[in-house]
């Protein structure tokens, strides 16, 4: 049976490519919907379908406006047309049998359209290739341990095999970290490679602490070494894709292969010199026997390593625009009517900062029901529709927060430029928002309208200044959230 949802709204539609992960939104769909089969929903003459909210799990919520001008919501099991189209493309690739959560974990976002046609065939063949390679690695490890005398104490080859199993198990447990990072956070590295490359060294340093501890607790070698490998594998999962983005930044002549090869020369040269110096340090009398001296030496070298890593990342000068650099550039334009050049902006960029702690705070991908708050008024929804008719986003100031915070939703067809425009509007509002206790909703509307007028006049100048300052405006790394998108359908 169906359960009515008491809301009022003009003609809109929601379209979501993934289930909303925020607790509030999940609570909303759980309480307001039931499993409902409504095959003739669009054929009913009395009710018109004016809202459609789709989820990544294949369910969809349809809303109808009845004669009493009340919005009723129904949950049906059929997915959206876009979802069906996406599934058909995956079916062509032979992966329709995989659960969505597995597809998202092992395949790039937007597959198959986001990669070349030969991607899947290559990866399917690469998988057993890697399996056989690691089998060989396991067997060779046993031989190496025999050669260094792992079985000399017992006089049997079984001891060497047992040691090899422990050693390979340690590596296997550590590899889980790379598996998790690649599957869960693969879409992060294009946006901010400097930040994630720095975090990789912090996490790798933490992993080395477990390795150092094995000397104090040799009986717990396997769990400690496994934790160390797990942590360092997470660091490697962050490091490798981040540095590939950095290498791509270096290859301005399309010579990515050569840049990678020459980087290998630098790295191997540093490795040989570092190993030589490490051997000299270990050969120092008393160092190996003194655990406190060993750990203090390691700590000194590691802190120096982290400081040098930060300095090396600080000299990178990206001409692409991510969210951090967009904030810096827009703030400069709103306050001073000018934008910074690549050198100045990259110097001002905080490598370690999290977006969550950056002010003014912007929350992207908010459901429209959450944006209008508890009012659920027809007037407010109509106001947003009219106000943002020419934009690909909706933006409101969150009245529930004492600090300035904006909520942003995106329409179907929104691009990176839409995200950039919403950030510009946010900074203008942040500098000009008039806050007082008895503010009316009309006042809020006027300030939002004024921000859009200002953006209409000044945003083009902002883009022209970006081009003049040497920024690559064709590479704006501002991703539109895929959780929820909004489509205006009107009456059906």
């Amino acid at each position: 049976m169906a359960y009515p949802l008491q809301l009022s709204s003009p003609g809109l539609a929601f379209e979501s490519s993934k289930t909303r992960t925020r607790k509030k939104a999940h609570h909303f769909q759980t309480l307001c919907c039931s499993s409902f089969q409504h095959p003739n929903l669009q054929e009913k003459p009395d009710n018109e379908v004016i809202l459609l909210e789709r989820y990544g799990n294949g369910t969809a919520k349809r809303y109808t406006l009845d004669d009493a001008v009340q919005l009723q919501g129904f949950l049906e099991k059929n997915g959206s047309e876009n979802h069906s189209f996406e599934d058909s493309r995956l079916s062509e690739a032979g992966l329709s049998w995989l659960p969505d959560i597995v597809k998202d974990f092992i395949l790039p976002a937007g597959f198959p359209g986001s990669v070349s046609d030969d991607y899947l065939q290559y990866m399917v063949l690469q998988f057993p290739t890697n399996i056989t390679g690691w089998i060989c690695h396991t067997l060779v490890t046993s031989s190496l341990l025999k050669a260094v005398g792992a079985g000399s104490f017992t006089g049997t080859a079984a001891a060497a095999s047992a040691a090899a199993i422990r050693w390979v198990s340690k590596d296997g447990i550590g590899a889980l970290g790379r598996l998790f990072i690649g599957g869960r956070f693969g879409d992060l590295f294009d946006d901010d490679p400097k930040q994630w490359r720095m975090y990789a060294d912090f996490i790798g340093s933490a992993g080395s602490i477990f390795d150092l501890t094995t000397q104090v607790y040799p009986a717990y070698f396997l769990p400690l070494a496994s934790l160390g490998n797990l942590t360092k594998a997470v660091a490697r999962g962050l490091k490798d894709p981040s540095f590939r983005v950095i290498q791509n930044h270096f290859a301005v002549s399309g010579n990515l292969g050569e840049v990678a090869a020459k980087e290998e020369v630098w790295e191997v040269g540093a490795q040989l010199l570092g190993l030589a110096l490490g051997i000299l340090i270990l050969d120092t009398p008393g160092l190996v026997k003194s655990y406190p001296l060993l750990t203090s030496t390691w700590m000194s070298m590691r802190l120096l390593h982290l400081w040098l890593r930060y300095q090396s990342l600080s000299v990178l000068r990206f001409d692409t625009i991510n969210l951090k650099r967009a904030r810096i550039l827009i703030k400069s334009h709103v306050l001073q009517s000018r934008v910074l050049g690549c050198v100045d902006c990259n110097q001002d960029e905080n490598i370690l900062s999290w977006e969550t702690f950056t002010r003014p705070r912007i929350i992207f991908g908010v459901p429209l029901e959450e944006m209008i708050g508890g009012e659920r008024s027809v007037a407010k929804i109509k106001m947003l529709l009219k106000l943002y008719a020419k934009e690909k986003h909706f933006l409101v100031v969150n009245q529930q927060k004492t600090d300035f915070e904006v909520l942003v939703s995106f329409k179907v067809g929104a691009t990176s430029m839409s995200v950039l425009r919403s950030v510009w509007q946010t900074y203008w509002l942040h500098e000009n928002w008039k806050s007082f206790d008895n503010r009316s909703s009309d006042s809020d509307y006027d300030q939002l309208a004024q921000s859009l007028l200002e953006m209409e006049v000044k945003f083009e100048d902002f883009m022209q200044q970006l081009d003049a300052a040497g920024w690559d405006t064709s590479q704006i790394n501002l991703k539109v959230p895929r959780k929820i998108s909004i489509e205006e359908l009107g009456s059906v």
Side-chain angles (χ1 to χ4, degrees), residues 52-69:
L52 184 59
E53 187 172 18
R54 291 163 176 163
Y55 304 96
N57 61 3
T59 60
K61 208 175 0 179
R62 293 181 180 268
Y63 299 94
T64 62
L65 188 66
D66 63 15
D67 295 335
V69 197

Side-chain angles (χ1 to χ4, degrees), residues 14-16 42 52-55 58-60 62 76 78-89 487 489:
F14 292 90
E15 180 183 25
S16 174
Q42 294 182 332
L52 184 59
E53 187 172 18
R54 291 163 176 163
Y55 304 96
T59 60
R62 293 181 180 268
E76 55 187 31
N78 296 327
S80 65
E81 294 176 3
N82 290 341
H83 185 75
S84 299
F85 176 67
E86 185 176 326
D87 280 347
S88 67
R89 298 176 72 184
E487 185 179 2
L489 296 180

Side-chain angles (χ1 to χ4, degrees), residues 375-422:
E375 300 177 21
R376 300 180 180 177
S377 65
V378 174
K380 189 164 185 178
I381 298 179
K382 287 183 176 179
M383 177 269 289
L384 289 176
L385 284 174
K386 181 179 179 181
L387 198 60
Y388 292 98
K390 296 181 180 180
E391 299 292 336
K392 284 294 185 179
H393 71 274
F394 296 102
L395 183 151
V396 297
V397 177
N398 189 356
Q399 304 296 328
Q400 308 300 321
K401 297 287 185 178
T402 55
D403 295 334
F404 185 87
E405 178 183 271
V406 299
L407 309 177
V408 183
S409 291
F410 293 97
K411 301 179 183 179
V412 172
T415 63
S416 295
M417 190 62 67
S418 309
V419 183
L420 189 64
R421 290 177 69 87
S422 70

Side-chain angles (χ1 to χ4, degrees), residues 197-367:
R197 183 64 187 88
M198 192 69 226
Y199 284 163
D201 264 11
F202 284 131
I203 296 173
S205 300
S208 297
I209 296 175
F210 290 106
D211 292 343
L212 283 174
T213 312
T214 57
Q215 182 176 335
V216 182
Y217 303 102
Y220 299 98
F221 171 82
L222 183 58
L224 288 173
S226 298
L227 282 174
N229 259 26
L230 177 62
T231 309
K232 288 186 288 186
V234 170
R236 184 180 173 187
L238 295 174
K239 180 195 77 172
D240 290 348
S242 298
F243 190 68
R244 285 171 189 166
V245 177
I246 295 173
Q247 284 180 330
N248 191 60
H249 158 72
F250 293 144
V252 296
S253 301
N255 55 340
L256 179 59
E258 184 180 8
V259 168
K262 297 305 180 184
E263 188 275 332
E264 193 76 9
V265 173
W266 285 77
E267 183 173 339
V268 172
Q271 178 183 1
L272 293 175
L273 184 57
L275 289 174
L277 293 174
I279 291 172
L280 288 175
I281 293 174
L282 287 175
D283 201 36
T284 302
L287 180 62
V288 179
K289 296 181 181 180
S290 175
Y291 181 75
L293 183 57
L294 176 66
T295 55
S296 61
T297 303
W298 173 86
M299 180 64 70
S300 300
M301 289 296 101
R302 200 65 194 179
L303 291 175
L304 178 61
H305 168 83
L306 293 173
W307 180 79
L308 290 171
R309 177 70 68 196
Y310 184 86
Q311 296 302 316
S312 66
L313 294 173
S314 297
V315 303
L316 293 176
R317 302 288 181 260
F318 284 93
D319 62 354
T320 56
I321 300 174
N322 64 1
L323 186 54
K324 284 183 180 178
R325 293 188 282 277
R327 282 177 172 272
I328 295 171
L329 294 168
I330 289 172
K331 182 177 181 179
S332 175
H333 187 260
V334 169
L335 294 179
Q336 304 172 11
S337 297
R338 70 179 186 89
V339 299
L340 300 176
C342 295
V343 174
D344 293 335
C345 183
N346 278 270
Q347 285 178 346
D348 290 347
E349 182 181 2
N350 189 335
I351 296 176
L352 301 178
S353 67
W354 285 89
E355 171 62 21
T356 305
F357 303 106
T358 308
R359 296 295 180 267
R361 190 179 182 196
I362 309 172
I363 301 180
F364 295 108
V366 180

Side-chain angles (χ1 to χ4, degrees), residues 150-165:
S152 61
F153 298 103
T154 61
T156 64
S161 298
I165 291 173

